[in-house]
Structure formats: structure tokens, C-alpha cells
Amino acid sequence: MLKAKTFFDMPPMRLTPRMEEDFFTSLMMRNGTYKTTFHDRFAEVNPYLVRYLREHASASPQVLDIGVSSGISTLELHENLRAGGLNVQMLGTDVLIDAFLVTVFPGCHALVDPSGFPLRFDVPGGSMKPWVTRRDYYSGVFIARKLINKLFTYRARRMLEQSDAAIVRAVKLVTPRALVGAEITFCCDDVSQYNPAYAARFDFVRAANVLNRGYFNAAVLSSMVRNIGRYLRPTHGSLFVTRTHDDRTNHGTLFRMAANQYFEVVHRFGSGSEVEDVVTQTRITP
Ligand SMILES: C[S@@+](CC[C@H](N)C(=O)[O-])C[C@H]1O[C@@H](n2cnc3c(N)ncnc32)[C@H](O)[C@@H]1O
């Protein structure tokens, strides 16, 4: 596993898709969700979305991508929409975009979120996940992992308070390729908390691999859908919710906002979104 420091030190052009996928997929957020992602994840879906937006949105649509993880699929959607003739402006959000790489001991680093929650540890000779796995209990590694977790997290939190630039480095958990240019902006935002700055601003919202039943219960999913509905322009806003299965097929639904303030189904990919019932049963109250 590539060390976090090596990843952030590497010139963007030398980062391979495999390195990006391995690195981001290994990160678990404070809320228990993962930054799992890979290239060309929506290759079979994006052409339909491009055609739909060309027919139903303005030539300069505002697009919100929720739960962007590394931003790899955000960048790909952006490229597809531009290639389809749309002058798109995109905002990508995630609960975690900004993080810190802290030198906890010489040659040892902790990648932590702004609250000090540990995401990854670099130790001499390699890099490790902070959390204990079932296999660690059989192999006995759990004792070492717990000790390193306690020590590195304690040191990282202490050092974050000091904010010494020599040992605390601010990093963005987004592929450097997506940060080039002004057409995609990335912001930290939790979709479960209503953000008035996004009200009625977007023509199209994508929530890919984030509105999952495995992550959130129905009540939380419903409040997320209500927030997203309020972020869409009232007249022609559309929402795409999808989940990629283990065989890499996408099962998602494209919705549009109906006059009665409920989402209605426009098109299904695969067997449709697993949260389709939640989306269509949630009334979007202003
Ligand atoms: C599995 S990744 C999906 C990445 C990308 N959309 C894709 O499909 O390739 C899920 C992402 O959702 C983010 N996430 C989890 N809970 C969230 C929330 N409440 N608000 C915004 N983003 C969230 C996680 O941090 C993670 O980066």
C-alpha cells in the first residue's frame, strides 16, 4: 500500500489510476462510509445523462455531485458533459475533502480529518489502516494496530492544536487532476444537513454510491432527499441516484421533480436505485 506521504508528494502526472483507486478506496470516514471509487465507473450511464440534460436543461447547467470521494467520477462526468456540448459548472461535495498529514515521529505520518479522526498511518516500511480487522485477531496483529492507533492519534491531535506548518500539512482528498481549472469546485458539505447556500441552485444532482441503505437508515435517507430536492431549481430539476454492485454494474434511477413536489421516475439503469421508494415518497417542502 502506497504511503500517504508518497501519494501527496508525487507529481500529479505520475499518479496512475490504480494508485488513486487503491489510495482513496482504503480510507474510511468518521461516519463509517468509505471513499471507494474507481475509473470509468459510470461509462454505461453517462451517455444517457448527457443526452437527457441536453434535452431538458439549459446549455450551461449547474450540476451538483454529492459524495465525490476522490473526484475521479466527478471529473469524468464533467468531461462527458463538456464533450456533449454543455457548458457545465460543477460543484462536488463530500463530508471529507480537507485533511492533514501530520509527522507524528521522524519517518512516521498520520493522515487525519480536521477533528483528528485517523484515516491512515505511515510507518517505516509501509502504510496501514487505523482500524482492527477480524483477521488481526487471528494473527495477533490487533495489539500492535491498537497501540499504533492510540499513540499516532494522540500525537496527531496534539500537533493539530499547535498547527506547526513543519509537521502539519494541509492536503485535499481529491485527485489533483480535478483541482486544475475553475470549472469544478470542491466543498466540504454533509448532505444530511440542509445548506441554504445551495437552495434552488442546481439543474441536476448526482448522488452516486452514497444514498445507500447500508450506510443510512430510511429516516436519514429521506431527510437527505428532501435537502437535495430543495437544492434543485423548481421547474426542471433532475436527480440521479445510483449504486455500483460488486460486479461493477450500476443500478440507479433518474428522477425529475414533478409539479406536486414529489420526485417521479424518468429512467432506470439495471434494476433501479435501491432507495427509489424513499426518493419518490419524500415530499420536497420548501
Ligand atoms: C463510495 S464513495 C462514492 C464516490 C463516488 N460518488 C463514486 O460513486 O465513485 C462515498 C462518498 O460519500 C461520502 N459521504 C458519506 N456520507 C456523506 C454525507 N452525509 N454527505 C456527503 N458525502 C458523504 C464519503 O465521504 C465518500 O467519499
Side-chain angles (χ1 to χ4, degrees), residues 186-227:
F186 291 96
C187 280
C188 186
D189 187 71
D190 180 344
V191 66
S192 68
Q193 309 295 317
Y194 177 67
N195 184 343
Y198 298 166
R201 224 177 99 178
F202 298 96
D203 301 283
F204 174 66
V205 175
R206 179 175 72 172
N209 295 299
V210 56
L211 300 191
N212 296 357
R213 287 189 190 275
Y215 287 162
F216 307 108
N217 66 35
V220 173
L221 288 167
S222 182
S223 70
M224 289 173 165
V225 170
R226 196 170 301 115
N227 292 340

Side-chain angles (χ1 to χ4, degrees), residues 101-103 158-170:
L101 188 65
V102 184
T103 308
R158 289 281 306 271
M159 289 163 163
L160 271 186
E161 283 164 14
Q162 294 163 14
S163 295
D164 179 348
I167 48 175
V168 177
R169 173 175 163 196

Side-chain angles (χ1 to χ4, degrees), residues 29 31 33-37 41-42 67 69 94 190-191 208-209:
M29 312 300 99
N31 69 359
T33 61
Y34 286 82
K35 273 194 177 281
T36 310
T37 189
R41 196 173 196 175
F42 305 108
S69 177
D94 200 288
D190 180 344
V191 66
N209 295 299

Side-chain angles (χ1 to χ4, degrees), residues 246-267:
D246 290 343
D247 63 1
R248 298 206 166 193
T249 55
N250 283 292
H251 298 269
T253 305
L254 177 66
F255 304 89
R256 73 171 156 234
M257 182 73 75
N260 63 1
Q261 301 302 300
Y262 283 91
F263 280 109
E264 61 186 20
V265 174
V266 174
H267 186 80

